[in-house]
Amino acid sequence: MPSLPIYLDNNATTRTDPRVLEAMVPYFTARYGNAASRHHVFGRDAEEAVQQAREQVAALLGAEAREIVFTSGATESDNLALKGAAWMQRQLKKGDHLVTAATEHHAVLDPAKRLQREGFSLTVLPVDRAGRVTVEQVAAALTERTILVSIMAANNEVGTLQPVAEIGRLCKERGILFHSDAVQAVGKVPLDVQAAGIDLLSLTAHKLYGPKGVGALYVRRRNPHVRLEPLLDGGGHERGLRSGTLPVPLIVGFGVACELCRHEMAEESQRLLRLREKLRAGIMDGLKGVCLNGPAEERLPGNLNLSFAGVHGEALLIGLKDLAVSSGSACTSANPEPSYVLRAMGLSDELAHASIRFGLGRFTTEEEIDWAIRAVIREVQRLRALNPEQEFANPINRTG
Ligand SMILES: Cc1ncc(COP(=O)(O)O)c(C=O)c1O
């Protein structure tokens, strides 16, 4: 019997790896200098620690250390990428059109919509049943005025991997900047900014077993040298792109977390893929009327998203009280909205409401997966028994 409750919500956040925490602690206690205080030993010690972390983050992306700008997290990185690039490109009179996709995170969609209110034009591309955009769709959306394309590397709800390398190549050919929100992909699947032709890339530590409150934006320095308008004015830290005293302990943790991912990702992703497939097969073999949301193959190894016909995701969440998962409805209001991601993929409101996201991670065990399979089957059967006249034949298979 695994110890309860079981955490299967690693797309929301991950536990800080104990090795990461251990590396951080001295920077809260003895080594507390300000990384900008280069005139004394405490400051230089902190600056060196930040530089090492910058190299560790860069190495995971195939980037150079000086191309990494530390931020408070991916929400800030996405805002800096979109607004910073759009404002600068407008100043340089390059154009005013942005392209993104319907299933992006709000940290991309909302800055894009704000830029639209400021007078930029915006194309939001639809996705297919698996949540994918194609390079042909992006190509068809480009105009003479397009300055930035922003397409995520992997989706946070359904784990769909986007063809970022193809999109990057297209943008390079057309001389258009390419940003990717790679929060869910970095450290989980191989991603190299050179190979993928990415000019701006957002990442955050808390999705890769690092601490919350720190992230980074990769900003390409060569071919082309990307220029951004900063969001914040102040002390001119991070080469003027992000003023504010650097959170050294968090940055140290972020660096170690990236280093661990770089070394362990290949093995870890194989293990997670096996456990994810065990969970999927175990639930789908044990229950009728379950469909997979998102692609069967081109998805994050640790992500599983299922809809259970005839069951409300919120009710299932409540019933599965020892299992920390997420549902496809925003449970913040009295009248929950179905997930806009699942709706954009063509799911009915009913199936979107009936969805559950399972996020497996580094600390997920086989025993926990076995327990989760039994618990989900039991709870779905119990909820369906409350509504016995419904028949749960396979609802359209959307494995795409
Ligand atoms: C795809 C994606 N982008 C951006 C974010 C925001 O990241 P942060 O929590 O670091 O602001 C998240 C986290 O939920 C995410 O999954």
Side-chain angles (χ1 to χ4, degrees):
M1 174 86 179
S3 83
L4 301 178
I6 291 169
Y7 188 75
L8 285 183
D9 204 12
N10 284 280
N11 296 107
T13 195
T14 57
R15 171 181 164 190
T16 301
D17 191 299
R19 294 169 289 179
V20 168
L21 183 62
E22 194 188 340
M24 289 169 64
V25 170
Y27 294 91
F28 284 109
T29 53
R31 306 172 76 172
Y32 48 80
N34 184 327
S37 303
R38 296 190 188 119
H39 53 281
H40 59 60
V41 64
F42 287 85
R44 281 194 297 276
D45 180 48
E47 191 195 18
E48 276 165 27
V50 167
Q51 179 57 20
Q52 188 186 353
R54 211 183 284 287
E55 284 164 16
Q56 289 167 316
V57 175
L60 184 58
L61 307 173
E64 291 173 27
R66 63 194 182 126
E67 296 177 309
I68 301 300
V69 175
F70 286 115
T71 64
S72 61
T75 300
E76 185 186 335
S77 302
D78 287 341
N79 272 267
L80 177 57
L82 270 78
K83 293 174 185 167
W87 293 335
M88 181 58 82
Q89 296 292 93
R90 184 166 59 184
Q91 266 180 49
L92 298 171
K93 307 227 177 320
K94 294 272 175 87
D96 55 8
H97 175 233
L98 314 167
V99 176
T100 189
T103 54
E104 293 289 319
H105 194 272
H106 278 297
V108 165
L109 288 176
D110 290 4
K113 286 180 193 152
R114 184 175 294 277
L115 289 164
Q116 190 179 29
R117 291 197 294 279
E118 285 180 12
F120 287 88
S121 70
L122 174 66
T123 301
V124 181
L125 297 172
V127 297
D128 67 13
R129 296 242 176 218
R132 258 189 304 251
V133 287
T134 63
V135 69
E136 290 78 18
Q137 276 178 288
V138 177
L142 300 180
T143 74
E144 287 302 306
R145 303 197 64 80
T146 309
I147 48 173
L148 180 71
V149 171
S150 180
I151 301 289
M152 69 199 328
N155 183 267
N156 44 300
E157 290 190 32
V158 285
T160 306
L161 300 176
Q162 299 291 7
V164 283
E166 289 174 50
I167 298 170
R169 213 169 303 129
L170 169 73
C171 291
K172 217 51 347 110
E173 278 165 25
R174 299 285 297 265
I176 294 166
L177 295 180
F178 178 37
H179 166 250
S180 187
D181 175 337
V183 163
Q184 297 284 344
V186 173
K188 315 293 163 58
V189 291
L191 190 60
D192 182 290
V193 289
Q194 302 306 343
I198 294 171
D199 299 311
L200 295 158
L201 178 144
S202 304
L203 70 160
T204 191
H206 75 95
K207 308 274 188 185
L208 43 82
Y209 313 99
K212 293 165 184 57
V214 65
L217 182 66
Y218 156 79
V219 184
R220 180 178 286 282
R221 296 269 295 196
R222 262 185 307 185
N223 184 32
H225 179 152
V226 178
R227 290 172 60 198
L228 301 176
E229 267 295 306
L231 301 178
L232 303 178
D233 296 312
H237 306 72
E238 300 295 271
R239 294 188 315 281
L241 287 176
R242 207 288 187 169
S243 287
T245 299
L246 293 175
V248 179
L250 301 183
I251 289 173
V252 166
F254 189 12
V256 173
C258 287
E259 176 95 9
L260 292 172
C261 285
R262 195 158 65 85
H263 289 121
E264 298 177 7
M265 177 165 58
E267 206 175 305
E268 188 167 294
S269 64
Q270 287 305 313
R271 192 185 76 90
L272 288 179
L273 187 60
R274 192 182 65 74
L275 288 182
R276 201 267 315 275
E277 282 306 296
K278 180 174 192 181
L279 180 62
R280 186 192 59 73
I283 293 173
M284 290 180 111
D285 291 348
L287 288 170
K288 282 206 278 182
V290 182
C291 70
L292 175 67
N293 299 317
E297 303 277 334
E298 290 288 294
R299 78 187 294 146
L300 290 171
N303 173 281
L304 180 66
N305 191 309
L306 299 174
S307 283
F308 298 87
V311 171
H312 203 288
E314 295 286 299
L316 192 50
L317 279 195
I318 294 165
L320 292 170
K321 66 174 175 32
D322 284 323
L323 200 58
V325 289
S326 284
S327 86
S329 318
C331 42
T332 43
S333 68
N335 185 12
E337 285 290 310
S339 144
Y340 69 92
V341 171
L342 297 178
R343 294 289 290 119
M345 289 162 56
L347 263 76
S348 63
D349 277 7
E350 200 183 337
L351 276 181
H353 273 308
S355 87
I356 294 283
R357 176 184 72 181
F358 302 87
L360 287 67
R362 182 174 292 168
F363 304 103
T364 305
T365 65
E366 181 124 25
E367 205 188 11
E368 289 177 332
I369 294 300
D370 291 335
W371 192 93
I373 293 169
R374 289 195 300 274
V376 170
I377 292 174
R378 199 183 325 114
E379 189 55 22
V380 170
Q381 284 171 341
R382 190 187 71 80
L383 289 169
R384 284 178 176 172
L386 301 175
N387 201 358
E389 66 277 14
Q390 284 201 36
E391 180 47 46
F392 307 109
N394 209 5
I396 315 155
N397 193 341
R398 293 175 191 283
T399 52

